[in-house]
Amino acid sequence: MRRRRAAVAAGFCASFLLGSVLNVLFAPGSEPPRPGQSPGPSPAPGPGRRGGRGELARQIRARYEEVQRYSRGGPGPGAGRPERRRLMDLAPGGPGLQRPRPPRARPLPDGAPGWPPAPGPGSPGPGPRLGCAALRNVSGAQYLGSGYTKAVYRVRLPGGAAVALKAVDFSGHDLGSCVREFGARRGCYRLAAHKLLKEMVLLERLRHPNVLQLYGYCYQDSEDIPDTLTTITELGAPVEMIQLLQTSWEDRFRICLSLGRLLHHLAHSPLGSVTLLDFRPRQFVLVDGELKVTDLDDARVEETPCTGNADCTLEFPARNFTLPCSAQGWCEAMNEKRNLYNAYRFFFTYLLPHSAPPSLRPLLDSIVNATGELSWGVDETLAQLEKVLHLYRSGKYLQNSTAGSQAEYQRLPDSTISQEDYRCWPSYHHGGCLLSVFNLAEAVDICENHAQCQAFVVTNQTTWTGRQLVFFKTGWSHVVPDPSKTTYVRVSG
């Protein structure tokens, strides 16, 4: 592993010296043909595989046709109407990305809508579309990780924005096993690159606040073969469940709400109901507190065909479910229910109930139980999550939960307490007790329920729900001026 990372890093540095971050990182290959053309000549067979030429060609064609289906609208129930627009338009002044390459460069397949905005300086936002030219002077290249097919890198663009680059991993399982079996380097790269191309199309077709943004792509010659593909996407932080369990309930609820909104979108997407066959925390990232799906190369749009209910079994490690077979011959809501149960077992059961406000726990428990039993679909699940958000954001969850204060507090405007911290859990600050409150009454209630609390400091900072952040203190012997804060000290009771 150490040798592999060192080799990757060395390749990255070499690419900078040659004027491109992509020249030597990834295995070479070729793009799929334009629609209406054959996928091209079959690769040479491998030394240990009889009939390898035809089998590899069959696999390449199958992946190419899958990409074409998703580009034009998914098959099966609820599929969108075919799209005829090009994925990119290379004509000067056209609406798509312009590729700064020699004339030999070739476009991606037809069929998907226009590109989303690329990031402007400093953070994602409106700006020029990104292509190979944007990667010529990147800095801070960092290897983030890899899976079976792709490697992911973090780079900083000349304007200061950080983005992620994805490309086929030449040391990865998919490419390596294919080369060992078929002995066809170009053909195997082409087979693996279709998974990256599929993800690229789905990121575009499934645009949503909880789907990672696609900023562009680059086709660049690598070694002796043209047109290796790298996608340029929004950069997110990995989902670390152990760390999430130590964060505030409000932030954990935000992740679950993000996931509920994403699953609702996938169930009603323009392509039909989309299921994530590889549904694990590592397939998601966090961007400014929002959960976003980033890995879509194992997504599937087609519902499962059936002749009876016995064909509609959802199998999980802990239990199985049997869904009804519709009169049209499709397992009803199987894609949706697979996503929902995975959300329950990987996210909801860990993040939703723990340390939640007591008055919200019955509703949260019902969400966890219903998703664990698949008694709700994504529509009802999202409706209940949105109800929790409304109760929490509006302060209605506080009704009958805060008793009248028996203590009196003196207000000290434009001041703070510089020391006298104590720890509580969960807290927004590891060295002290920093919590969010809906109003002053809730802050008083929290202070009176903490044995150590003798004062609290209301800041001008708010959370994503608009709640104010408050420091709770053990005393007030170190009051100092601060125009952005207000201190309340306990004087009786």
Side-chain angles (χ1 to χ4, degrees), residues 31-37 64-73 82-90 106-115 197 200-202 204-205 219:
E31 84 295 344
R34 298 175 61 177
Q37 296 179 348
Y64 165 71
E65 291 174 351
E66 182 184 32
V67 171
Q68 287 296 295
R69 290 198 305 270
Y70 295 155
S71 295
R72 298 179 181 276
E83 276 283 352
R84 294 293 180 181
R85 287 176 289 176
R86 299 174 57 84
L87 182 62
M88 65 182 190
D89 187 349
L90 297 180
R106 296 185 292 271
L108 292 169
D110 298 89
W115 294 91
L197 184 57
M200 183 176 171
V201 169
L202 288 178
E204 172 60 19
R205 295 301 306 273
Y219 264 140

Side-chain angles (χ1 to χ4, degrees), residues 356-378:
S359 61
L360 292 177
R361 285 176 191 165
L363 180 53
L364 295 170
D365 287 340
S366 69
I367 294 173
V368 173
N369 293 335
T371 54
E373 296 295 326
L374 289 185
S375 56
W376 290 351
V378 294

Side-chain angles (χ1 to χ4, degrees), residues 136-418:
R136 288 175 180 164
N137 296 302
V138 298
S139 60
Q142 178 184 356
Y143 170 81
L144 297 181
S146 58
Y148 270 40
T149 306
K150 306 184 295 288
V152 185
Y153 302 85
R154 178 189 189 276
V155 299
R156 189 168 295 279
L157 301 178
V163 297
L165 305 182
K166 287 187 180 183
V168 172
D169 184 2
F170 188 57
S171 300
H173 176 274
D174 271 3
L175 194 59
S177 62
C178 177
V179 171
R180 287 191 297 272
E181 182 173 7
F182 298 112
R185 188 164 174 254
R186 293 192 187 191
C188 286
Y189 175 84
R190 188 176 183 182
L191 182 67
H194 273 78
K195 293 187 73 173
L196 183 60
L197 184 57
K198 171 187 172 181
E199 179 175 275
M200 183 176 171
V201 169
L202 288 178
L203 287 175
E204 172 60 19
R205 295 301 306 273
L206 298 175
R207 285 194 229 176
H208 184 265
N210 298 112
V211 174
L212 201 72
Q213 289 190 64
L214 179 67
Y215 292 146
Y217 71 96
C218 176
Y219 264 140
Q220 182 117 348
D221 292 355
S222 179
E223 300 178 13
D224 59 330
I225 305 175
D227 292 342
T228 59
L229 172 64
T230 297
T231 60
I232 309 167
T233 70
E234 188 176 19
L235 180 68
V239 175
E240 302 288 352
M241 294 301 294
I242 294 179
Q243 295 180 10
L244 290 181
L245 291 173
Q246 302 174 46
T247 61
S248 70
W249 176 82
E250 188 174 342
D251 284 347
R252 285 185 275 119
F253 172 71
R254 185 181 189 183
I255 291 170
C256 294
L257 178 63
S258 299
L259 185 55
R261 289 169 173 171
L262 170 65
L263 297 191
H264 182 270
H265 173 65
L266 294 181
H268 303 284
S269 84
L271 299 177
S273 182
V274 179
T275 192
L276 305 177
L277 297 178
D278 190 2
F279 193 119
R280 292 172 293 169
R282 65 177 295 177
Q283 312 301 97
F284 300 85
V285 294
L286 292 173
V287 180
D288 297 329
E290 287 280 333
L291 188 75
K292 300 194 177 193
V293 63
T294 177
D295 199 333
L296 289 172
D297 60 358
D298 288 314
R300 189 180 73 186
V301 173
E302 299 86 350
E303 289 281 14
T304 302
C306 59
T307 57
N309 292 352
D311 297 327
C312 300
T313 300
L314 270 177
E315 297 182 351
F316 296 98
R319 63 178 302 181
N320 298 335
F321 300 89
T322 299
L323 303 179
C325 178
S326 71
Q328 293 75 32
W330 301 96
C331 294
E332 289 186 3
M334 180 170 273
N335 285 352
E336 171 184 332
K337 293 296 182 72
R338 179 184 287 110
N339 288 343
L340 197 56
Y341 189 78
N342 279 324
Y344 156 78
R345 70 189 185 108
F346 286 116
F347 289 91
F348 293 167
T349 190
Y350 299 110
L351 303 182
L352 266 183
H354 309 297
S355 70
S359 61
L360 292 177
R361 285 176 191 165
L363 180 53
L364 295 170
D365 287 340
S366 69
I367 294 173
V368 173
N369 293 335
T371 54
E373 296 295 326
L374 289 185
S375 56
W376 290 351
V378 294
D379 292 354
E380 181 63 23
T381 301
L382 179 58
Q384 295 301 317
L385 288 169
E386 296 285 4
K387 180 179 178 180
V388 173
L389 175 63
H390 171 70
L391 293 173
Y392 189 67
R393 177 176 275 167
S394 66
K396 291 182 178 180
Y397 76 100
L398 292 171
Q399 292 177 1
N400 303 321
S401 63
T402 55
S405 173
Q406 301 299 315
E408 293 184 7
Y409 288 80
Q410 180 181 353
R411 181 176 182 269
L412 305 177
D414 301 324
S415 66
T416 188
I417 300 172
S418 61

Side-chain angles (χ1 to χ4, degrees), residues 405 407-411 444 447-448 454 456 488-491:
S405 173
E408 293 184 7
Y409 288 80
Q410 180 181 353
R411 181 176 182 269
V444 169
C447 189
E448 294 192 8
Q454 295 297 317
F456 57 88
Y488 292 83
V489 299
R490 189 170 183 172
V491 295

